Amino acid sequence: MFADGELLNWFCDSDTPRHATLFDPANQSPEEAALKAKIVVEVGSKLILIGGSTDTPSDLVHATVVAIKEVVDVPVVLFPGGAHALSPNADGILFMMLMNSNNPRFLIGEQVKGATWLYENGVEMLPTAYLICEPGGKVGEVGNATPLTSPEEVISYSLCAKGYGMKIVYLEAGSGAVHPVHTDLIKVAHADCLIVGGGIRTKEDVRNAVDGGADWIVTGTLVEEYEIDLLADKLKTLILHLHK
Ligand code: 1GP
């Protein structure tokens, strides 16, 4: 779909905020994920992210990527919990450093494990600073992160990411978080391309993130919670509020 290096340009180059849908392959069959992916793209989602907890095997991730790629015409990008949850058919990967982790495994360990495989399989790596913000949820616990709570911390971490040449910063409240990342944290982040996710459920949540400067809004739990017939309407409303 993209020549090498072009996915990053596409990812970062937009005048308007966009919506991404996250699927965790552990939470539904590849066929069900594909059915839902088709719908979310039809109502305006511009990117499919394929997540994966620390124990999701690569074959399930791969089957989900393959099934979804058959039915959508938007990029399908990995958003993995580690070097075990990869697929050569993905268009790219959020190649993340969980910068506020206290465990070297999430700072550099999993990345080193996966880098050669990704290079050899031509999966474009999108350099991404992954910052867990309060409340942080399960990913904060598993990733052994100290969630960011103050604008000063977000400024320091995002400038540090800039120094490393990372164009993408992902502010994460945690999947299913009780509340999304606070706007005060979003609006101070330094990033060419800012992703905000975790706990986004309402149009107000979407507006808060966009008004703070988000380029991408990610929702995951929502797609899993809604049955196929209600999903389109719910998501349509959220996507509409990206541009209000
Ligand atoms: C998690 O940001 C994503 O990594 C999505 O979060 O599941 O709460 O939508 P939700």
Side-chain angles (χ1 to χ4, degrees):
M1 181 180 263
F2 290 93
D4 193 30
E6 283 184 5
L7 179 63
L8 181 62
N9 292 337
W10 174 87
F11 202 94
C12 294
D13 190 15
S14 171
D15 293 335
T16 53
R18 290 174 282 179
H19 177 268
T21 300
L22 169 67
F23 288 94
D24 184 340
N27 292 348
Q28 69 278 289
S29 67
E31 294 70 28
E32 193 186 346
L35 269 178
K36 287 191 166 180
K38 191 165 183 294
I39 290 169
V40 301
V41 169
E42 277 168 6
V43 299
S45 203
K46 299 294 185 201
L47 171 74
I48 302 294
L49 292 172
I50 306 293
S53 326
T54 37
D55 52 1
T56 308
S58 270
D59 55 353
L60 184 55
V61 172
H62 180 59
T64 304
V65 169
V66 169
I68 290 178
K69 276 194 69 75
E70 270 174 26
V71 296
V72 302
D73 57 0
V74 300
V76 176
V77 169
L78 301 169
F79 173 51
H84 56 280
L86 306 177
S87 162
N89 288 45
D91 294 296
I93 179 170
L94 292 184
F95 194 69
M96 298 176 283
M97 176 188 286
L98 203 178
M99 294 188 89
N100 57 327
S101 173
N102 299 296
N103 185 342
R105 181 180 158 206
F106 298 109
L107 291 165
I108 193 68
E110 291 293 323
Q111 296 81 339
V112 170
K113 260 193 217 168
T116 304
W117 188 94
L118 290 165
Y119 178 77
E120 287 177 353
N121 284 278
V123 178
E124 184 174 337
M125 295 186 251
L126 307 174
T128 303
Y130 191 43
L131 302 178
I132 308 294
C133 299
E134 195 272 329
K138 192 169 172 217
V139 67
E141 283 168 36
V142 174
N144 199 1
T146 307
L148 306 184
T149 57
S150 72
E152 291 72 22
E153 287 174 311
V154 172
I155 292 169
S156 299
Y157 274 98
S158 60
L159 283 174
C160 180
K162 198 180 182 65
Y164 277 117
M166 297 175 187
K167 285 193 153 188
I168 304 170
V169 171
Y170 191 142
L171 297 182
E172 170 74 86
S175 186
V178 286
H179 63 80
V181 178
H182 198 283
T183 321
D184 288 350
L185 303 187
I186 299 171
K187 66 186 184 198
V188 296
H190 289 260
D192 288 341
C193 178
L194 183 63
I195 309 175
V196 176
I200 294 175
R201 290 164 177 278
T202 65
K203 52 193 190 210
E204 289 78 18
D205 296 337
V206 169
R207 281 315 315 167
N208 281 339
V210 170
D211 290 343
D215 298 295
W216 284 100
I217 304 290
V218 182
T219 60
T221 303
L222 193 102
V223 174
E224 290 170 4
E225 279 176 355
Y226 278 82
E227 294 303 323
I228 287 185
D229 47 339
L230 298 175
L231 179 60
D233 279 348
K234 175 68 186 174
L235 212 55
K236 228 185 260 175
T237 308
L238 289 195
I239 291 174
L240 196 68
H241 281 80
L242 283 174
H243 309 295
K244 286 237 159 171

